Amino acid sequence: MIQVAVMGYGTVGSGVVEVIEKNKEEINKKSNEALNIKYILDLRDFPGDPYEDKIVHDVEVILNDPEVQIICETMGGLKPAYEFTKRALMNGKSVCTSNKELVATHGPELIRIAHEHTCNYLFEASVGGGIPIIRPLNYSLTAEKIDAITGILNGTTNYILTKMESEGAAFEEVLKEAQEKGYAERNPEADIEGYDACRKIAILSSLMCGKNVRYQDIYTEGITKITATDFKYAKAMDCTIKLLGLSREENGRFYAMVSPFLIPKSHPLSMVNDVFNAVCVHGNMLGDSMYYGRGAGKLPTASAVVSDVIDCARHIGKIITCFWDAENVKLTSIDEVEHTFFVRVKKDREQKAKEIFGDVKEVTAGVDGEFAFVTGRMSEKEFNEKAEKVGVINRIRFELA
Ligand code: HSE
């Protein structure tokens, strides 16, 4: 029997307990040994909960119990998750987490500590909710040189953008719905400003190059400036708008960014709707591959945590390799990154826009008082200099590949 502890009995933590209970037979078969939830750590009491007797309030009970071999960290945030995780690993207990903030901030250190103590730090649930993406990068695509990752990495914003497009719904109203469904972060800013997607693309970028991509170095823009009018233009161009996390290695330069993008309806990511996430990975031998599934929500995320628990159970006393060195990657400045831009200006700026941007392609969508156009490909720096001279209402980058 393998004793498991769950730290944090919130949405994901209670999902972990539910998955282990509901799929007991399947899971025990695949783990080679039965799993037993011995403790659940939370500050709160849960009177009447079927697992009430497992609740503990003191982490020391878990950390000092030699019987506990695997811990699920579903607390989120850095404090106290970082300290608890570190101490658990130092005590030789494997930790499986959904905590992208912690993984993005201290991933290489925690992996190193785990390996020094012959246990594992696994984080499948930290990116893409229930979608297997960390394991494919670690195990399956090992013969590849990966040069591009493009993902819809946040379920809440994808849910919001999908509803804005299909129902013309108001931003706030849809955000509330996403929160009620348990998709959103406690602080919705993390979703809508792109911070959550930024942590996730930092993790994927680090696995892509085997070194540390600091999330603090990633240019990040959220969806708060996207309006119903932008969707009108998108429709006129046979495009949709998605919040993408990108990572690219091009001619020895490496960049990562998070931003809303216009993508053609023919792009595979345009079909990824609601809370679903998807990650496109391009390898130099394989070409394109895509991983798709539920990117947020209690049971999908919990399922990914439990898949890591099973992996740990199968590797007790063994190290699961993960290439993520502590050395920081120097990212190419966003100023040098090139894109094509969709731009909206006031009607009286049309001449000026044509003068400054040159040969632009006009976009009409029946919007009064505006001139909208698509630029040629140019660097962010060049675009910003030109946009400043014209004065733009909004601009959205294109992702065409
Ligand atoms: N708030 C996150 C999302 C949860 O909406 O994708 C899953 O990481």
Side-chain angles (χ1 to χ4, degrees):
M1 179 90 76
I2 294 175
Q3 302 295 346
V4 177
V6 176
M7 300 200 299
Y9 201 36
T11 306
V12 182
S14 58
V16 166
V17 174
E18 194 176 328
V19 170
I20 291 180
E21 177 53 36
K22 269 207 179 133
N23 286 351
K24 200 186 307 178
E25 236 173 80
E26 282 296 309
I27 289 168
N28 289 347
K29 221 187 307 167
K30 290 171 187 163
S31 304
N32 297 328
E33 236 185 284
L35 303 181
N36 178 55
I37 295 176
K38 188 163 183 186
Y39 303 113
I40 299 170
L41 178 76
D42 206 283
L43 290 172
R44 301 161 293 177
D45 284 311
F46 293 85
D49 187 281
Y51 293 88
E52 190 184 356
D53 60 324
K54 315 264 184 190
I55 303 279
V56 293
H57 302 303
D58 183 359
V59 72
E60 302 302 330
V61 176
I62 296 173
L63 297 179
N64 298 325
D65 184 337
E67 277 190 2
V68 173
Q69 290 182 291
I70 304 170
I71 295 176
C72 303
E73 186 271 295
T74 48
M75 310 173 82
L78 298 181
K79 271 188 189 171
Y82 175 48
E83 190 209 322
F84 290 0
T85 301
K86 219 154 103 167
R87 290 187 53 208
L89 297 171
M90 283 170 166
N91 287 358
K93 302 177 191 310
S94 289
V95 176
C96 309
T97 190
S98 56
N99 188 339
K100 53 249 158 170
E101 196 182 351
L102 183 57
V103 177
T105 311
H106 295 293
E109 182 196 5
L110 295 170
I111 293 165
R112 177 184 52 77
I113 294 173
H115 293 178
E116 281 169 6
H117 294 83
T118 330
C119 58
N120 291 292
Y121 183 58
L122 301 188
F123 44 90
E124 182 60 71
S126 66
V127 181
I131 312 174
I133 180 61
I134 303 297
R135 210 164 272 115
L137 288 175
N138 268 343
Y139 287 153
S140 317
L141 300 176
T142 41
E144 291 295 319
K145 165 138 187 50
I146 295 167
D147 49 31
I149 296 183
T150 314
I152 293 177
L153 299 171
N154 182 270
T156 303
T157 46
N158 205 42
Y159 185 81
I160 293 172
L161 292 173
T162 304
K163 291 249 166 173
M164 282 177 76
E165 180 181 36
S166 63
E167 296 171 13
F171 178 84
E172 297 297 337
E173 183 193 318
V174 193
L175 172 62
K176 201 162 155 267
E177 247 180 82
Q179 284 173 310
E180 279 162 12
K181 292 191 167 170
Y183 304 153
E185 296 301 303
R186 244 172 291 167
N187 170 10
E189 247 203 335
D191 294 303
I192 61 180
E193 296 293 357
Y195 309 148
D196 176 78
C198 168
R199 273 34 171 206
K200 291 168 177 168
I201 196 66
I203 296 169
L204 296 182
S205 307
S206 299
L207 295 176
M208 170 172 159
C209 57
K211 293 184 185 151
N212 193 40
V213 174
R214 281 167 30 97
Y215 74 83
Q216 297 92 332
D217 295 341
I218 297 177
Y219 175 83
T220 300
E221 206 179 291
I223 62 161
T224 51
K225 292 193 184 115
I226 302 296
T227 63
T229 311
D230 293 320
F231 273 108
K232 263 192 185 173
Y233 283 112
K235 195 172 173 202
M237 291 184 281
D238 205 19
C239 284
T240 188
I241 303 168
K242 295 290 185 191
L243 183 72
L244 301 182
L246 308 181
S247 220
R248 294 276 188 280
E249 191 172 350
E250 288 166 354
N251 312 318
R253 301 193 319 169
F254 190 92
Y255 73 87
M257 67 187 291
V258 173
S259 146
F261 280 89
L262 278 155
I263 57 174
K265 287 280 187 181
S266 55
H267 194 295
L269 290 176
S270 77
M271 277 151 273
V272 178
N273 288 320
D274 298 317
V275 74
F276 283 85
N277 283 192
V279 187
C280 297
V281 179
H282 185 270
N284 64 342
M285 298 292 126
L286 170 71
D288 290 314
S289 59
M290 181 159 149
Y291 306 83
Y292 169 83
R294 281 185 190 276
K298 177 174 165 168
L299 294 177
T301 311
S303 170
V305 175
V306 177
S307 77
D308 280 346
V309 173
I310 296 170
D311 218 358
C312 287
R314 289 171 171 178
H315 292 90
I316 298 277
K318 290 188 201 128
I319 288 167
I320 300 170
T321 309
C322 176
F323 293 102
W324 185 350
D325 289 349
E327 185 192 333
N328 291 331
V329 176
K330 175 134 182 48
L331 297 183
T332 301
S333 157
I334 184 75
D335 283 348
E336 292 173 43
V337 173
E338 290 186 354
H339 281 111
T340 301
F341 295 83
F342 163 72
V343 189
R344 289 166 54 203
V345 299
K346 287 203 178 128
K347 188 75 185 153
D348 61 9
R349 306 301 284 164
E350 177 173 348
Q351 259 327 101
K352 184 84 179 164
K354 284 177 175 166
E355 262 168 46
I356 304 275
F357 280 96
D359 194 16
V360 296
K361 204 170 133 227
E362 183 173 358
V363 182
T364 50
V367 179
D368 287 338
E370 289 191 6
F371 173 64
F373 59 94
V374 177
T375 69
R377 197 171 166 83
M378 62 184 70
S379 72
E380 295 271 340
K381 185 165 185 277
E382 184 183 348
F383 175 80
N384 288 335
E385 283 166 2
K386 290 184 167 165
E388 203 175 314
K389 286 184 197 151
V390 182
V392 306
I393 299 171
N394 201 6
R395 59 96 182 93
I396 310 175
R397 301 170 179 90
F398 273 96
E399 168 62 13
L400 300 165

